[in-house]
Amino acid sequence: MKKCSWPIFLALLAPALAWAAAPNPKLAIPEFAGLAQKATESVTITLDPALLAMAGRFLDGSDPQDAATQEIIKGLRGIYVRSYTFDKDSAYQQTDIDAVRAQLAAPGWNRLVETHSRKTRANVDIYIMIDNNRAIGLALIASEPRQFTIVNIIGAIDLDKLHKLEGQFGVPKLDIDLSKTPTQGAQK
Amino acid sequence: MSQEIESRIRAALRPVAPSEDFSRKLLARVVADRPGRPKPRRLLSASARPLAWWLTASLAACLILAVGVRQHLEQQRVQQSGLEARRQVLEALRMTSQKLNLAYQAVKNQSTSLTDEESGV
């Protein structure tokens, strides 16, 4: 009996270990309760798989924007957005975002784009998590003098679909080439 | 003396044939005394019956109405949640693309300035 139970135990353990070892693209985004009080406008979006599926049912396939959105969210398992707008400069500290940045230093995350605009004083960092040559997560941190935004998208992100998204929302297409290996790990 | 009494008793107790209509009367009595079928008892009097019918019908109508209203409210709640989820998805994607645009503008400006430097502008 004891001999028989070992293979069963191992068979049960293997998927659990594989699941634990699998990269997790979901970020633990802090509550930012203090910042929310200071902000003139705050956006908190938490869309889990159930809500995404529900939203998908309420998108009109005949409308081009809705159709593009439907196509994008098809493979997604979650969208989390936190955005805070302030009425004066430097209302938030970079340390407020550090907790999120620290998570992006974990293995699996790759920095795709890091931009800094002197003109607008806006920094935008885009990270993606790749598993088996597929993007399974996206994180975006945009910090501007009076606004900071964190976006975390979980699921099979097709960058072609992101291109579509850019087009649909009036944003020009980014020349993102996945074949080029992005910077491994985040640079702090 | 005793013989006389005895004969008188015998005479008094002698079997006597029943009268002609005895059987008929007996049968008539038996039929009259037989307990008939119990009549079904009416719970309500004839005057209360339409009222009971209306009450039952009203109750059933109320029940159907309650179920219908509940279903309608549930459907409305689902629709509101769905529309709210849709609004949130569109808002999230709009914000994402807005920030992607910021990154794009920064990259574009950088590449433009590099090109300008190379061409000696």
Side-chain angles (χ1 to χ4, degrees), chain B residues 36-81:
Chain B
R37 264 191 188 172
K39 285 182 180 174
R41 285 165 64 187
R42 300 264 182 202
L43 285 173
L44 297 166
S45 64
S47 60
R49 254 176 267 158
L51 181 71
W53 189 91
W54 276 111
L55 274 174
T56 313
S58 307
L59 201 70
C62 283
L63 205 69
I64 290 165
L65 195 73
V67 169
V69 166
R70 191 166 180 267
Q71 269 185 346
H72 176 70
L73 288 176
E74 179 67 16
Q75 208 172 9
Q76 235 179 5
R77 193 188 62 77
V78 168
Q79 191 166 6
Q80 274 176 353
S81 309

Side-chain angles (χ1 to χ4, degrees), chain A residues 26-33 35-36 39 41-48 78-86 92 96-97 100 139-144 147-154, chain B residues 88 91-93 95-96 98-99:
Chain A
K26 189 175 184 309
L27 297 173
I29 303 175
E31 284 299 312
F32 298 120
L35 288 175
E41 194 184 319
S42 61
V43 177
T44 302
I45 295 173
T46 303
L47 291 160
D48 57 14
I79 302 177
Y80 304 90
V81 177
R82 302 286 184 275
S83 182
Y84 302 95
T85 309
F86 306 93
Y92 68 94
D96 292 324
I97 312 170
V100 177
L140 185 151
I141 299 175
S143 48
E144 295 160 76
Q147 188 185 56
F148 88 83
T149 303
I150 295 170
V151 177
N152 184 203
I153 299 177
I154 296 142
Chain B
Q88 286 199 354
E91 173 73 359
L93 296 183
M95 289 184 84
T96 307
Q98 196 183 20
K99 299 307 164 193

Side-chain angles (χ1 to χ4, degrees), chain A residues 58 66 83 144 147 171-172, chain B residues 82 86 93 95 97 99 101 104:
Chain A
F58 283 83
D66 279 17
S83 182
E144 295 160 76
Q147 188 185 56
V171 181
Chain B
R86 177 187 179 273
L93 296 183
M95 289 184 84
S97 54
K99 299 307 164 193
N101 190 30
Y104 169 79

